[in-house]
Amino acid sequence: MERPSASKRAAGGPSSGSTAPGGTRSGGDGDDASSGPTGSTSRGDGSSASGSSGAAAHDSGRTNPPSAGDDGTGATGGADVPAGPAALVVGEPEREPADKRWCEQVTLEFHNTGGTAVRSGTVTFGTHIIGALGIDWATVESAERLPVPIAPGSRKEGTWTVCVDAWRVPLGMHVETRDVSVRWE
């Protein structure tokens, strides 16, 4: 079984993006392509909805969108959370220097736009070792656990201290955690 994943590049990557169906990350302007205002949604009862309001098309020919909670999904207002698997949108990494030159604090925000809670997962950081003249000498990967559970429709923030071996960062050099990828279940 293929696991959903998302990746984010802090430097030179898209400023925001969305999670496509299947849990893969795609760049863009931050809009979720699978649940836009004119998209289609699938319900757990086998019916589907499409159109600009996301309301079920009925044989009655009704043209007015139903009120909140009247669309058969059980929603009573607020943001629509589609039924289906978990889908994480990963925010831009926020970096802060740590007390040692070979470490830094990295904060990420996660938004579960899917219909199921995220129960487990891993965040992989790509930390670049930068020389005194700005040359990127190496990239070291490290992995941490996701801050779970992340309920459907909710946001959660996690902060990690990301370090490399001290001998890799001599005086005059520093680290930058630029790359982030996420896998979840």
Side-chain angles (χ1 to χ4, degrees), residues 17 19 43 108-109 140-141 147-148 152 154 159 169 178 185:
T19 303
R43 297 196 183 123
L108 290 172
E109 182 178 290
V140 178
E141 287 191 350
V148 291
S154 70
T159 301
V169 189
R178 297 178 180 172
E185 293 182 44

Side-chain angles (χ1 to χ4, degrees), residues 25-106:
R25 175 108 178 139
S26 62
D29 60 1
D31 293 332
D32 187 354
S34 64
S35 64
T38 59
S40 299
T41 57
S42 175
R43 297 196 183 123
D45 62 0
S47 65
S48 65
S50 64
S52 61
S53 69
H58 296 285
D59 292 336
S60 67
R62 180 174 70 183
T63 58
N64 295 334
S67 61
D70 190 29
D71 62 356
T73 62
T76 58
D80 289 332
V81 177
L88 278 181
V89 175
V90 182
E92 289 287 332
E94 297 175 18
R95 303 176 317 134
E96 294 182 26
D99 56 347
K100 296 179 173 79
R101 70 180 173 277
W102 54 87
C103 297
E104 68 181 354
Q105 295 283 329
V106 179

Side-chain angles (χ1 to χ4, degrees), residues 23-25 30 42 55 64 77 84 102 122 127 141-142 155-156 175 180:
T24 58
R25 175 108 178 139
S42 175
N64 295 334
W102 54 87
T122 305
T127 304
E141 287 191 350
S142 60
R155 296 178 186 269
K156 200 166 219 183
V175 295
V180 174

